[in-house]
Amino acid sequence: MIVTLQAGATLKEITGVIRLLESFGASPSISRDCGCTLVTAATSRLPIDAAQVRALPAVKDVHEDVHPFKRVSRDYHPENTVVEVKGARFGDGSFPVIAGPCAVESEAQIHDCARAVAAAGATVLRGGAFKPRSSPYAFQGLGEEGLRFMADAGRANRLATVSEVMSISQIEAVARYIDILQIGARNMQNFDLLREVGRVDKPVMLKRGPSAKIEELLLAAEYIHDAGTPRVILCERGIRTFETATRNTLDISLVPVVKELSHLPIVIDPAHASGKREYVPALTLAALAVGADGAMVEVHPVPAKALSDGRQSLHYGEFEKLMADVRRFAALRSVQPA
Ligand code: PEP
Ligand code: MN
């Protein structure tokens, strides 16, 4: 609930509004956005009786919740949230690109790849050390050793790092080495995991589940925010549809919808969405045009030899060309939707 106060409300009257909201188990906060005083109660133990709040003399208007998510809603935070990680800024109108291999395969591979993507203009290095694989016999990642290689490669090339955490038991290690904790698509509704990563003082990149609605994505982000981390980056990576020409279907229309509903930044992952490297450049530029806050692409020194997702990984030369195109198109993007 958001309560707009009368311009001349006294301190005693304002305290009365806060006490009433607290009696419903809410923890209200006061802000002075839009030139007026607002008292907001994002969550409460009991339903708040709007009629009782409206009846208070200090109250001008009561905005009841229209969405089940609260803290991540634009109603509660009209300004864009900007998540800054080592110079990469998600949500300020720029278009940072996250790049790197699907999985960290060796120390040499991740260092070589980090050098190449940094030289081309990426600002965040990706690479999985704990890999969610459909088959238990497929390469599962290097584990903690891979995290150490990632951290070194990031440091050596002045790149921030992002890597997936698949379970609560991995959080401590991933948070020790990596700047952004990634929640993979398969874990988007692992609510215990969401709460635990929300307790760590690190930004989280939350990927949309393959069959999750936008509202469910935002509710998953709400778990992380509610647990203590407002620095959440959303990521669209394609959803499962009847179409089989691509690995998943990139739901590009999610971007303006999320921009309207939420203040959180949203990035696009065209690699996992399409599954084919030849579609990645066009979809990355589409993400830029539609107003996304960045993109995440997979790049590998020798995609044909990649231990995972080689088919959708760009060669260095292709990534360089894409980054040149991103810079040209970004210069044209002067107006931010929402
Ligand atoms: C990844 O980005 O490494 C990944 C496994 O993607 P997703 O969770 O979207 O399948
Ligand atoms: Mn991958």
Side-chain angles (χ1 to χ4, degrees), residues 126 131-132 164 182 184-186 207 237 272 296:
R126 66 148 287 139
K131 293 301 302 173
E164 177 161 354
Q182 175 173 326
R186 293 156 192 80
K207 300 192 85 174
R237 44 76 76 201
H272 291 90
M296 177 161 88

Side-chain angles (χ1 to χ4, degrees), residues 31-47:
S31 61
R32 290 196 160 74
D33 294 325
C34 331
C36 54
T37 306
L38 303 175
V39 181
T40 61
T43 56
S44 61
R45 240 181 311 106
L46 306 167

Side-chain angles (χ1 to χ4, degrees), residues 76-100:
Y76 286 89
H77 191 284
E79 302 300 316
N80 287 341
T81 285
V82 178
V83 179
E84 177 164 9
V85 195
K86 293 191 171 158
R89 290 168 64 83
F90 296 89
D92 72 344
S94 62
F95 194 79
V97 174
I98 304 166

Side-chain angles (χ1 to χ4, degrees), residues 102 126 131 247 272 298 308-309 312:
C102 180
R126 66 148 287 139
K131 293 301 302 173
R247 180 176 173 179
H272 291 90
E298 290 186 329
S308 59
D309 288 349
Q312 66 199 33

